[in-house]
Amino acid sequence: MSGMDFSPFFSKVAARVVPSPLREFFDALQTDETYIKLAGGLPEPELFPLKSVALTLPDGTNLEISSKDLVAGLQYDATAGRKELIVFLTDLTKRLHDPPTWRTPGSPDAHCIMTSCGAQDGQYKVLDLLLNEGDIILAGDYVYPNVLAVIIPRGCSVQHIHSDEQGIMPDHLEAYLRQWPKPGPGQVTGGKIKAFYCVPNGDNPTGIRYTEARKKALYKLASEYNFLIIEDDAYYFLEQRPLYKSFLSLDVEGRVVRLDTFSKTLAPGFRVGYVTAPHGLYRKLVAVSQTSTQGTSNLCQTIILTLLRKWGIEGFLAHCENIGAYYRRRREACERIAKKHLTGLADWRSPSGGMFLWVRFLGVQDSMPLVMGQLLERKCLMVTGSAFVAGTDARSPYVRISFSLATDRKMEEGFAIIAEELKKIREDLENKEQ
């Protein structure tokens, strides 16, 4: 059974990446206690400085990590992640997304899961495997800056495709793709277009949400023009219910790479995320991790695993619903305060989820001077829209305002300051026109 050919997607460096023989050997055999282990340089557990770790949950429940789990958490482990955690994540992914590649026994394109040091680590490694100088990543009008920071220094470019409230527009994407010859067997479009990147729920920064119909249309184009889809879904659990089908749930060919994280549902300090990738790409990701991070922190995985054992899938999903409900209340407060202070001075589209309000300053061509000038001087912090656009000369009237942490009182202060400065700009323009 032939599968997806990933060779045209891999960078020249990635094509030469092979598994580390030491890590492959270790990953395959380290859990089998019948072996006499004279190979790996594993430290003696008796020398570890921690002998017990206890956790206290918000409801007062106490959980203690068993001595066996603690030793495992402090020791080297398989590069892809602790086996029991991978099993839990596999069950969770089956429950939420039911990848079509898992429905065909023995499919060479079957998706596999590995942990990462947060979604950012997974994102970096995926892009690093794909990009040669001159390659192109497709994206929406505005893109998470850390993605730009990976792509641009490699001499690659981001092709921004116009978006509406449902995501990038398929007709605009198809019009761009038609400029290139259709790819032949073993080719990508133009020899350059490697992937489409998106944050499909509560997009960072715009807050838009890709509908299922939009995802199906974009997946069809990905299949026709042979590019991958990188689904960076950090805000999935913060989304309004019901949750939409993911790109992963539509992936019959094995061309979707999904990035998930515990940063928004548990805590970012764990630095634990996970990548769900088709097998051909998964093997390269593991090989790269074997010689870079060697895997995600086992201790952090062990703490998370202890929580997940306590909760089970139902308990974890209930926890996530509470988290999502909290951020929805914060969003509602933010919009209420913004309406009070910024009506007539700015506009915005209500975000479907996430943590951000994407605000356009009316009568302002570029928010950068205001954000980095008067607002910064008054200790009012936000991110200028130009930070989300490829190109050093980018100008944008937008700002990204986070409602995840600031109290209502702080937001009142902040929006009042923004309003004062926008009114000054408007008065200055009116005086110049007179």
Side-chain angles (χ1 to χ4, degrees), residues 20-328:
S20 162
L22 287 176
R23 289 299 300 182
E24 282 287 284
F25 187 67
F26 176 83
D27 289 354
L29 302 177
Q30 62 93 19
T31 57
D32 191 333
E33 296 300 327
T34 65
Y35 282 88
I36 300 170
K37 297 180 180 180
L38 304 178
L42 279 66
E44 167 54 57
E46 289 295 324
L47 301 177
F48 292 160
L50 298 179
K51 298 305 176 186
S52 67
V53 172
L55 311 173
T56 302
L57 305 190
D59 64 1
T61 301
N62 292 315
L63 299 177
E64 186 162 348
I65 298 176
S66 70
S67 58
K68 181 180 178 181
D69 274 340
L70 184 57
V71 167
L74 295 172
Q75 186 60 274
Y76 292 115
D77 208 325
T79 302
R82 291 205 57 183
K83 183 177 179 180
E84 194 175 345
L85 181 58
I86 296 298
V87 169
F88 182 94
L89 296 175
T90 300
D91 291 343
L92 180 65
T93 300
K94 174 70 175 175
R95 165 80 170 270
L96 297 175
H97 308 290
D98 191 21
T101 62
W102 287 357
R103 300 175 204 156
T104 305
S107 169
D109 297 318
H111 285 77
C112 304
I113 295 176
M114 66 172 288
T115 59
S116 58
C117 302
Q120 181 68 50
D121 174 54
Q123 173 210 106
Y124 179 94
K125 286 173 180 172
V126 170
L127 290 171
D128 197 47
L129 286 177
L130 302 181
L131 296 177
N132 290 311
E133 188 168 357
D135 283 347
I136 297 169
I137 295 293
L138 307 166
D141 291 316
Y142 294 91
V143 186
Y144 177 46
N146 282 11
V147 173
L148 300 177
V150 177
I151 295 170
I152 304 304
R154 285 165 172 72
C156 302
S157 60
V158 173
Q159 178 61 44
H160 293 284
I161 306 296
H162 186 58
S163 307
D164 61 14
E165 68 278 1
Q166 298 179 29
I168 73 166
M169 302 177 71
D171 55 340
H172 286 247
L173 176 57
E174 189 168 16
Y176 171 75
L177 293 170
R178 281 178 177 168
Q179 300 176 36
W180 304 84
K182 275 280 187 75
Q187 296 178 335
V188 297
T189 297
K192 296 175 178 292
I193 300 176
K194 294 292 183 69
F196 161 57
Y197 170 87
C198 70
V199 180
N201 288 294
D203 174 56
N204 182 0
T206 66
I208 62 177
R209 183 188 198 187
Y210 282 66
T211 62
E212 185 177 336
R214 184 62 55 88
K215 288 172 183 171
K216 287 179 177 178
L218 295 174
Y219 187 89
K220 182 179 178 182
L221 289 173
S223 180
E224 184 178 352
Y225 287 91
N226 198 30
F227 56 84
L228 304 179
I229 295 175
I230 303 172
E231 181 176 38
D232 188 354
D233 215 352
Y235 304 98
Y236 175 72
F237 289 108
L238 277 57
E239 194 52 75
Q240 296 176 11
R241 272 43 176 184
L243 299 172
Y244 291 167
K245 280 191 173 182
S246 61
F247 277 109
L248 177 61
S249 70
L250 305 173
D251 186 18
V252 295
E253 298 177 330
R255 64 175 64 251
V256 172
V257 181
R258 181 177 172 84
L259 306 174
D260 283 281
T261 181
F262 286 111
S263 291
K264 308 303 187 292
T265 54
L266 297 183
F270 282 128
R271 305 312 306 137
V272 176
Y274 54 103
V275 183
T276 307
H279 186 264
L281 203 149
Y282 165 84
R283 288 304 304 152
K284 288 285 187 180
L285 287 170
V286 173
V288 167
S289 295
Q290 286 173 341
T291 54
S292 58
T293 57
Q294 290 197 7
T296 310
S297 165
N298 284 335
L299 184 57
C300 290
Q301 289 187 74
T302 299
I303 294 171
I304 289 174
L305 185 55
T306 303
L307 276 172
L308 296 179
R309 281 184 189 140
K310 169 68 176 176
W311 286 338
I313 287 180
E314 295 299 334
F316 175 68
L317 293 178
H319 168 79
C320 290
E321 286 201 32
N322 289 335
I323 297 291
Y326 173 83
Y327 286 115
R328 284 193 290 278

Side-chain angles (χ1 to χ4, degrees), residues 342 359 361 364 366-384 397-401 413-425:
L342 298 185
V359 177
F361 290 163
V364 173
D366 184 13
S367 65
M368 175 72 82
L370 177 59
V371 169
M372 300 307 294
Q374 300 97 305
L375 293 177
L376 183 59
E377 288 174 5
R378 299 186 69 177
K379 297 185 177 182
C380 186
L381 304 179
M382 63 205 67
V383 184
T384 181
Y398 286 91
V399 296
R400 191 194 74 178
I401 295 174
E413 291 178 18
F415 281 116
I417 290 171
I418 295 169
E420 288 174 14
E421 296 300 334
L422 287 174
K423 287 175 182 176
K424 289 178 185 177
I425 291 174

